[in-house]
Amino acid sequence: MASSWLGARRQSLHLLKTRGFLLLKLSAAVLAVLLFCEFLIYYLVIFRCSWPELKTPEGAPEPVLRAMFLADTHLLGAIRGHWLDKLRREWQMERAFQTALWLLQPEVVFILGDIFDEGKWSSPEAWADDVGRFWKVFRHPPHVQLRAVAGNHDIGFHYQMDTYRIKRFEKVFNPERLFSWKGINFVMINSVALEGDGCDICSRAEAELLEISHWLNCSREVGHPPTPCPVSEEPVCGGSAGSHGPLTPLWSRQHFPLYRKNDANCSGEDAAPPDEKYTPFKERYDVLSWEVSRKLLWWLRPRLILSGHTHSACEVQHRAGVLEVSVPSFSWRNRNNPSFIMGSITPMDYALAKCYLPCEDMVLTTYCVAAGCLMLIMLIPTRLVSAPFHFGQRVLRKFKTM
């Protein structure tokens, strides 16, 4: 009687130990999968990215500025954002951005509009909450500069925007239209205000661009002009605009792309889907109007234009050989394969490269495969899996003996 009781006790203890060990292995496997899919995968993917190289000029090499370009982060707000979707997307962007900062060490980060998803509707309280979450996701060390331009989701389309929304945005992000660093000049454009209908906000925006155009054209004159070129009175990072030599607008940054009919000529794995490529773009909604686009090219004569808004990648060659690069969305809510642009820039040259982030379907596939493997591990001790396996072996042996 005592021996049978001791045997039963040993058997129950052995079963308990086996189950505990199995639970420990399952917990370790779940933690490993979470660690890989939510943390390590960003390092493994972004580690493959590298800064594009520039041809070294003869003589003294020029300082190279390393810049990252993001677009359409669309941080969800209080109205349309489900808390789980918000938590997931912000975690993805935070891990991607922080990993890129650590691995790539950029000097300046540009965000090309639509930073927030509901800036055009946000109450003061909701706006303050969105801004706080933005700085948590896109926190950066003091030596890294972050600059942004407004998008239609930040201040509204032309018929929605007003001075209050613009000032609210500019209070968070520097309002300068001309940003200069290491002798490299960037023109930052509020493209939402370029409606071309003569409204007060639009008139002021065009006047600012005309003034910048005057400075730039003055600095391009051959020889010494009879009077010195005026220097920007707006705040310019890294010294005054005039202290960096000729004000050549290396890049123009804006949210809306310049006018193009559609994305039919765009290619690449992050271009628009085939069923959207031939959809005509609506002027002043999808792209800037043809008239405003011509004005910008004439006034600024930029060497390169970067824009966002479409959520897809595209390269367009405008007149006079001006290249425009549309940067895809940085948010997995808008794309399965987000990316950002890396630029190595000098006053006279530039080189661009694209860095892709982890594809969401790859992450989901990893989770599904891991879940299937864990289910098998859990079912094997219950003989639900082993019994059909042994039955199959017996059938196979009978078939061989026949």
Side-chain angles (χ1 to χ4, degrees), residues 89-99 136-139 330 332:
R89 302 313 176 190
E90 289 179 13
W91 170 258
Q92 289 174 313
M93 288 191 286
E94 181 178 356
R95 290 310 332 139
F97 184 73
Q98 298 302 323
T99 304
K136 176 182 178 296
V137 172
F138 294 96
R139 61 189 182 277
F330 191 71
W332 281 261

Side-chain angles (χ1 to χ4, degrees), residues 216-229:
L216 296 171
N217 291 331
C218 177
S219 69
R220 290 189 183 107
E221 292 181 8
V222 180
H224 298 283
T227 57
C229 294

